[in-house]
Amino acid sequence: MSSQSLIEVRSIDFVPLEERHGKVWHLWPIWFAGDAHLATLATGALGIAMGINLFWSIVAIVGGCALGTFFMAFHAAQGPQLGLPQMIQSRPQFGHLGALLVWGVALVTYIGYNAFNQVLAGQTMRELAALPVHPTMVVFTLVGLGVALIGCDLIHRAQRVLAFTLIVILAVFSVGAMLFVPLPAGQLDPGRFLVVPFMMQFFAAAAYQLSWSIYVSDYSRYLPPDVGVRSAFWWTFAGAMIGGVWMMLVGAIAVAAFPHMNVIAAARVVGDAIISGFGTVLLVVAFASLITATSLNFYGASLTLLSIADAFRKVTASVRNRVIALVIVMLASSILSFSASGSFMHQYELLLSILIYLFTPWTAINLVDFYIVRKCHYSIPDIFDPDGIYGRWNAAGLIAYLIGFAAMVPSARICSPARRRG
């Protein structure tokens, strides 16, 4: 690699060898805490809300999380090998400009998740302290933005503290719920199976976990390049799988025990039934984890937005450009959050339904290209050169994506939110 190429790559968030640091086990807490927060709680409540009982919700949650996390974790090894943000790595498959297709999808995902995170934050603080929703959403967003602005190292440290705190909180909740919280009749009956709600919960859990695929290299790219595929996969899989399943089950148990409450209120009541005041502790810690998850979204969205701009005009990763990108993303998610707060669960369910169709073809193409076609070997300078070996448009990758997307459309009728009561 020439010195000029290295300078150009540095300007777009390539992490040089001399700046690599950290240990591979650090991936576990960032994805455990990244998954164990209020949005995950709401994801676990979808099946109960659509009519299946707790038994089949548990099966759907575990199965869906296992499927989505399996593919998501394979992306983690790409970061140490290439030292690049996740979405930049789509250029070899789709071309310098063709990658804009998946970058646009990723940007919508970041913004959509943050919009719903803001709504959940407002609802939680109204439940905990009777605070007005909209001002709370604004303060929450600014705090998340501040953490993202400080950067990746702060996010890593915060996630480690939260991960070990959450283990204690979730363990107490799990044991206490089994001992002290009675469930309505039929919630554990295997005979009460409904196919459409079951599939909706299964694919919601899978889509939720799979959507982390666009994040993982953003946080593993700082690790030394000798980190192996196996270790990166298992530390990421374990963190995301355990954190995701555990918090989704908390949401499912809460709404199964109190089906006429929203998931935030139900979780608080269940927690208080275990130990007086424990429901508040659970929500406060999950709220803190939601802040860092929102920071993950802001950080990834700013990288993606800068990459989109760089496709048309060379953009340096300066503090000024990062701030501009973060503010643009913050405004977009805030506008969406204020319009979504009136029908949260329905719109959140719709988002997850859409994501499974958008990300499944991308993750398949990206992983096959990385592990099978190119066997982890890429030209980093050419990834940033529109006239390089990867070209401006890769027709094969774009056609493969469209074929993959079209192949999934027939299942849309089965898993359509409009049929969730079927």
Side-chain angles (χ1 to χ4, degrees):
M1 182 184 299
S2 68
S3 60
Q4 179 62 32
S5 295
L6 182 58
I7 291 172
E8 292 176 357
V9 173
R10 281 176 184 266
S11 71
I12 259 333
D13 282 329
F14 171 75
V15 182
L17 297 181
E18 64 270 19
E19 296 181 16
R20 304 292 188 92
H21 63 282
K23 299 178 180 179
V24 68
W25 74 265
H26 292 167
L27 296 174
W28 182 88
I30 198 168
W31 296 118
F32 181 91
D35 244 334
H37 52 74
L38 295 174
T40 317
L41 191 81
T43 305
L46 290 174
I48 303 291
M50 290 183 286
I52 56 173
N53 63 9
L54 181 59
F55 177 87
W56 288 111
S57 285
I58 292 172
V59 175
I61 287 169
V62 174
C65 283
L67 178 64
T69 310
F70 177 80
F71 292 104
M72 166 264 200
F74 273 112
H75 290 281
Q78 297 172 330
Q81 299 294 320
L82 301 179
L84 296 172
Q86 185 70 64
M87 298 315 296
I88 287 284
Q89 298 169 27
S90 295
R91 277 178 172 166
Q93 297 99 52
F94 299 98
H96 192 85
L97 294 177
L100 291 171
L101 169 67
V102 292
W103 290 355
V105 171
L107 190 60
V108 169
T109 302
Y110 290 126
I111 292 171
Y113 271 135
N114 263 8
F116 291 119
N117 289 352
Q118 290 165 230
V119 173
L120 274 174
Q123 293 179 347
T124 302
M125 293 311 297
R126 181 177 61 188
E127 174 68 27
L128 291 175
L131 295 177
V133 171
H134 288 163
T136 301
M137 289 163 58
V138 173
V139 173
F140 169 85
T141 303
L142 292 175
V143 173
L145 186 72
V147 175
L149 184 61
I150 294 173
C152 187
D153 286 342
L154 175 61
I155 294 174
H156 271 278
R157 289 194 294 270
Q159 295 295 75
R160 284 198 285 273
V161 173
L162 283 169
F164 294 109
T165 304
L166 282 162
I167 289 173
V168 176
I169 297 295
L170 293 175
V172 172
F173 181 94
S174 301
V175 174
M178 288 188 292
L179 295 177
F180 303 115
V181 179
L183 295 171
Q187 284 296 331
L188 297 176
D189 180 7
R192 292 181 53 185
F193 178 74
L194 298 172
V195 62
V196 173
F198 175 85
M199 296 303 294
M200 282 295 301
Q201 178 65 80
F202 179 92
F203 284 115
Y208 186 83
Q209 296 297 92
L210 185 63
S211 66
W212 286 111
S213 298
I214 63 175
Y215 301 66
V216 284
S217 276
D218 296 353
Y219 301 94
S220 64
R221 65 196 173 108
Y222 292 93
L223 292 173
D226 59 354
V227 168
V229 171
R230 182 175 298 179
S231 59
F233 171 87
W234 283 115
W235 282 112
T236 302
F237 182 88
M241 180 68 180
I242 297 171
V245 168
W246 209 347
M247 188 58 85
M248 286 187 200
L249 292 182
V250 170
I253 291 169
V255 294
F258 297 95
H260 301 298
M261 294 184 179
N262 66 61
V263 64
I264 301 299
R268 186 182 188 184
V269 171
V270 171
D272 288 344
I274 297 169
I275 302 173
S276 179
F278 180 70
T280 299
V281 174
L282 169 68
L283 292 181
V284 167
V285 176
F287 183 89
S289 188
L290 188 68
I291 293 175
T292 57
T294 300
S295 300
L296 295 178
N297 290 330
F298 277 137
Y299 185 79
S302 67
L303 291 178
T304 302
L305 189 57
L306 289 173
S307 297
I308 292 173
D310 183 74
F312 300 99
R313 181 179 178 181
K314 180 61 66 177
V315 175
T316 59
S318 64
V319 173
R320 175 179 175 274
N321 287 336
R322 285 189 182 279
V323 171
I324 292 173
L326 283 168
V327 170
I328 291 173
V329 173
M330 179 199 70
L331 292 175
S333 63
S334 297
I335 291 170
L336 183 59
S337 69
F338 275 75
S339 65
S341 56
S343 54
F344 172 80
M345 289 301 286
H346 172 68
Q347 295 186 46
Y348 184 61
E349 176 190 335
L350 181 61
L351 173 66
L352 293 175
S353 299
I354 293 171
L355 291 183
I356 195 71
Y357 301 112
L358 295 177
F359 280 116
T360 299
W362 168 78
T363 199
I365 293 168
N366 184 265
L367 292 178
V368 167
D369 184 71
F370 184 83
Y371 287 104
I372 299 175
V373 177
R374 304 185 198 270
K375 301 185 186 302
C376 309
H377 296 297
Y378 292 84
S379 170
I380 303 300
D382 281 305
I383 288 178
F384 298 99
D385 184 359
D387 298 314
I389 62 174
Y390 303 118
R392 295 175 183 267
W393 303 92
N394 186 329
L398 291 169
I399 292 172
Y401 181 89
L402 294 176
I403 291 174
F405 181 82
M408 298 186 64
V409 170
S411 63
R413 291 189 63 192
I414 297 176
C415 296
S416 169
R419 298 186 59 190
R420 63 188 182 276
R421 304 288 184 187

